[in-house]
Amino acid sequence: MGRIIVEVMPKPEILDPQGKAIAGALPHQGFTEFTDVRQGKRFELAVDGAVTEEALAAARRAAENMLSNPVIEDVVGVYAEDQ
Protein backbone atom coordinates (compact mmCIF):
# COMPACT_ATOMS: atom_id res chain seq x y z
CA MET A 1 0.00 0.00 0.00
CA GLY A 2 1.36 3.40 -0.99
CA ARG A 3 0.85 6.68 0.79
CA ILE A 4 0.81 10.22 -0.60
CA ILE A 5 1.48 13.18 1.67
CA VAL A 6 -0.20 16.52 0.95
CA GLU A 7 0.99 19.63 2.84
CA VAL A 8 -1.04 22.84 2.91
CA MET A 9 0.06 26.14 4.48
CA PRO A 10 -1.60 29.52 4.93
CA LYS A 11 -0.55 32.04 2.30
CA PRO A 12 2.24 34.29 3.63
CA GLU A 13 -0.01 37.35 3.66
CA ILE A 14 -2.70 35.62 5.75
CA LEU A 15 -2.65 36.09 9.52
CA ASP A 16 -1.92 32.80 11.32
CA PRO A 17 -3.24 33.16 14.90
CA GLN A 18 -2.40 29.56 15.83
CA GLY A 19 1.17 30.01 14.62
CA LYS A 20 1.44 33.30 16.55
CA ALA A 21 0.19 31.61 19.74
CA ILE A 22 2.74 28.82 19.37
CA ALA A 23 5.51 31.32 18.64
CA GLY A 24 4.61 33.22 21.78
CA ALA A 25 4.59 30.08 23.93
CA LEU A 26 7.87 28.57 22.72
CA PRO A 27 10.21 30.94 24.64
CA HIS A 28 8.30 30.22 27.86
CA GLN A 29 9.20 26.55 27.39
CA GLY A 30 12.88 27.34 26.79
CA PHE A 31 12.81 27.27 22.98
CA THR A 32 14.40 30.59 22.11
CA GLU A 33 15.91 29.57 18.76
CA PHE A 34 12.74 30.19 16.75
CA THR A 35 11.58 33.59 15.52
CA ASP A 36 8.29 32.68 13.80
CA VAL A 37 5.85 29.79 13.44
CA ARG A 38 3.34 29.03 10.70
CA GLN A 39 0.89 26.20 11.28
CA GLY A 40 -0.36 24.17 8.35
CA LYS A 41 -2.16 20.95 7.54
CA ARG A 42 -0.93 17.52 6.51
CA PHE A 43 -3.06 14.92 4.74
CA GLU A 44 -2.12 11.27 4.20
CA LEU A 45 -3.80 9.61 1.22
CA ALA A 46 -3.52 5.81 0.89
CA VAL A 47 -3.52 4.08 -2.50
CA ASP A 48 -3.58 0.39 -3.43
CA GLY A 49 -0.16 -0.65 -4.65
CA ALA A 50 2.72 1.66 -5.41
CA VAL A 51 2.33 5.42 -5.79
CA THR A 52 2.23 6.25 -9.50
CA GLU A 53 2.56 9.55 -11.35
CA GLU A 54 -1.18 9.33 -12.06
CA ALA A 55 -1.96 8.96 -8.34
CA LEU A 56 0.30 11.93 -7.54
CA ALA A 57 -1.46 14.03 -10.19
CA ALA A 58 -4.86 13.05 -8.76
CA ALA A 59 -3.65 13.94 -5.25
CA ARG A 60 -2.48 17.33 -6.52
CA ARG A 61 -5.92 17.98 -8.08
CA ALA A 62 -7.65 16.90 -4.85
CA ALA A 63 -5.33 19.14 -2.85
CA GLU A 64 -6.04 22.16 -5.03
CA ASN A 65 -9.82 21.56 -5.29
CA MET A 66 -10.83 20.04 -1.97
CA LEU A 67 -8.08 19.79 0.65
CA SER A 68 -7.13 23.46 0.56
CA ASN A 69 -8.88 26.79 0.37
CA PRO A 70 -7.06 28.49 -2.53
CA VAL A 71 -8.10 31.95 -1.32
CA ILE A 72 -6.07 31.66 1.89
CA GLU A 73 -3.88 28.54 1.50
CA ASP A 74 -1.13 27.20 -0.74
CA VAL A 75 -0.47 23.55 -1.50
CA VAL A 76 3.23 23.34 -0.69
CA GLY A 77 3.87 19.62 -1.08
CA VAL A 78 2.45 16.52 -2.76
CA TYR A 79 4.80 13.55 -2.62
CA ALA A 80 5.02 9.81 -2.03
CA GLU A 81 5.91 8.83 1.51
CA ASP A 82 9.11 6.82 1.72
CA GLN A 83 8.40 3.28 2.87
Side-chain angles (χ1 to χ4, degrees):
M1 176 180 286
R3 189 173 310 274
I4 298 172
I5 307 301
V6 175
E7 297 172 341
V8 177
M9 293 295 293
K11 290 184 181 281
E13 63 272 13
I14 299 297
L15 180 64
D16 180 5
Q18 293 168 320
K20 292 286 185 200
I22 295 166
L26 284 171
H28 298 290
Q29 298 295 317
F31 299 102
T32 58
E33 303 86 357
F34 311 110
T35 59
D36 192 26
V37 176
R38 300 287 289 173
Q39 182 176 339
K41 299 185 284 190
R42 173 184 160 121
F43 298 90
E44 297 182 2
L45 307 173
V47 297
D48 288 331
V51 175
T52 63
E53 289 300 319
E54 292 80 15
L56 285 170
R60 164 79 50 192
R61 288 192 309 274
E64 292 170 349
N65 295 313
M66 186 177 169
L67 303 178
S68 68
N69 177 345
V71 174
I72 61 170
E73 295 173 317
D74 290 324
V75 177
V76 297
V78 177
Y79 55 90
E81 181 180 60
D82 293 332
Q83 297 289 340

